Amino acid sequence: MGAIAAGIAMFGAALGAGIGNGLVISKMLDGMARQPELSGQLRTNMFIGVGLIESMPIISFVVALMVMNK
């Protein structure tokens, strides 16, 4: 039962991270197309956002390992 719960947790985290990264990157590209002079600031903010989004699957992986080893 723990393996199923871990799999569901990882699936949700991976799906959420994929959708979140896609939205962040598409909005950054939209902003760069509208104002090319702000591309450096937009890129920096995008990397910060992507890093925060990617932290969720990592935390979910740790929780899934904890659930499986319980």
Side-chain angles (χ1 to χ4, degrees):
M1 204 59 155
I4 294 172
I8 291 172
M10 285 304 301
F11 170 75
L15 183 67
I19 292 171
N21 281 335
L23 289 173
V24 167
I25 292 171
S26 71
K27 296 298 180 181
M28 189 272 305
L29 289 174
D30 186 36
M32 282 178 66
R34 290 176 186 244
Q35 294 182 339
E37 65 273 4
L38 294 177
S39 65
Q41 292 175 347
L42 290 172
R43 189 176 299 118
T44 302
N45 289 336
M46 182 205 62
F47 286 135
I48 292 170
V50 167
L52 291 172
I53 291 169
E54 286 296 324
S55 68
M56 183 51 78
I58 294 169
I59 293 170
S60 177
F61 177 69
V62 171
V63 169
L65 287 178
M66 289 171 55
V67 167
M68 284 182 58
N69 291 329
K70 184 176 179 184

